[in-house]
Amino acid sequence: MTTAARYLDVSTWPRREAFEYFRGFDKPYFNVCTRLDAAPLKAAVAARGVGSFSLACHFVALRLANEQEPMRLRLEGGRVRVHDSLQGGATVLRDDESFGFAYLEPDTDWARFAAQGARAMAAARDRTAPFEPRTEHSAVVHFTTLPWIAFSSFSHARNWGLEDSVPKVSFGRIEADGARLWLPFSVEVHHALMDGLHLGRYVQGMETVLLDPAPWLAAGC
């Protein structure tokens, strides 16, 4: 059963003035880069014995995006659509150094997410799945990983002809620092739809979960 699309009443939205101001910008996106201590998550994945560390990063980031409404807002024909749930669209490196796209289904159960994600990643890697950017699909968060670079800033390719308001999340190369494993983490969002406060809450959510990720990976969570 298809659920009817839901839109914000912008006329009563407290952010109406900021929305009207930023949506006309040539470059209305803003980006933050930080680093997260991924050591507890890596240990929790190993202890649970299910899935990969990389998929666990996607699991936490996608689940938090689904829990926070600003991350589910999208521009659609001049209106602000509120998606009920989001997929994750992740880039996957192939053996021939090209890449494909894997689509990760939202799930609060880590074992189910890890199993579906592994299948999707494998299909993208061996070309079982077609090269399918799905540019018309906005109920998604775009993910990419650069395991070669411990970046401190990040910028994404953009098609200015599209009404693209999909958040873009990037993971970089982990750097060991004593007991800590610093993971570069970048998030790019559309300023017409959210401000630093909202993005800050998302990043703080990542920090909080990564301090104690075991409950999120527990069976039946």
Side-chain angles (χ1 to χ4, degrees), residues 7 47 54 64 72 75 77 96 104 112 114 123 138-139 145 149 158 164 172-174 189 199 205 210 212-213 218-219:
Y7 297 89
S54 176
L64 279 169
R72 292 186 280 109
L75 292 176
D96 63 3
L104 312 175
R112 283 198 306 259
S138 68
T145 303
I149 305 171
R158 290 280 185 176
D164 182 7
R173 185 186 72 210
I174 288 177
V189 296
L199 185 52
L210 264 59
D212 184 21

Side-chain angles (χ1 to χ4, degrees), residues 88-144:
T91 55
V92 179
L93 184 66
R94 298 174 178 142
D95 290 340
D96 63 3
E97 299 187 356
S98 66
F99 72 91
F101 294 102
Y103 290 92
L104 312 175
E105 296 302 327
D107 203 321
T108 59
D109 184 279
W110 162 237
R112 283 198 306 259
F113 180 91
Q116 186 275 325
R119 291 192 298 270
M121 294 282 191
R125 191 173 295 112
D126 66 16
R127 296 180 183 270
T128 303
F131 185 87
E132 190 177 14
R134 299 186 188 179
T135 54
E136 78 290 347
H137 178 50
S138 68
V140 66
V141 175
H142 292 155
F143 290 105
T144 193

Side-chain angles (χ1 to χ4, degrees), residues 158-164:
R158 290 280 185 176
N159 185 342
W160 301 116
L162 297 178
E163 194 176 43
D164 182 7

Side-chain angles (χ1 to χ4, degrees), residues 5-7 15 61 66 92 96 100 119 123 127 130 144 146 150 160 166 169 175 178 189 191-192 214 217:
R6 182 163 63 99
Y7 297 89
R15 291 195 66 261
N66 273 292
V92 179
D96 63 3
R119 291 192 298 270
R127 296 180 183 270
T144 193
L146 275 78
W160 301 116
V166 172
V169 173
E175 298 278 276
V189 296
H191 212 340
L217 305 185

Side-chain angles (χ1 to χ4, degrees), residues 63-72 198 201-203 205:
R63 183 169 166 183
L64 279 169
N66 273 292
E67 290 181 357
Q68 299 188 14
E69 184 177 271
M71 292 291 288
R72 292 186 280 109
H198 311 102
R201 287 172 178 160
Y202 179 69
V203 174

Side-chain angles (χ1 to χ4, degrees), residues 10 21 78 174 221:
V10 175
Y21 178 66
I174 288 177
C221 178

Side-chain angles (χ1 to χ4, degrees), residues 34-40 42 53 149-151 171-185 207 210-211:
T34 187
R35 60 180 188 170
L36 306 171
D37 182 9
K42 195 172 184 67
F53 168 73
I149 305 171
F151 57 73
F171 304 103
R173 185 186 72 210
I174 288 177
E175 298 278 276
D177 179 17
R180 298 180 184 274
L181 295 175
W182 291 116
L183 173 68
F185 182 68
E207 292 172 333
L210 264 59
L211 283 174

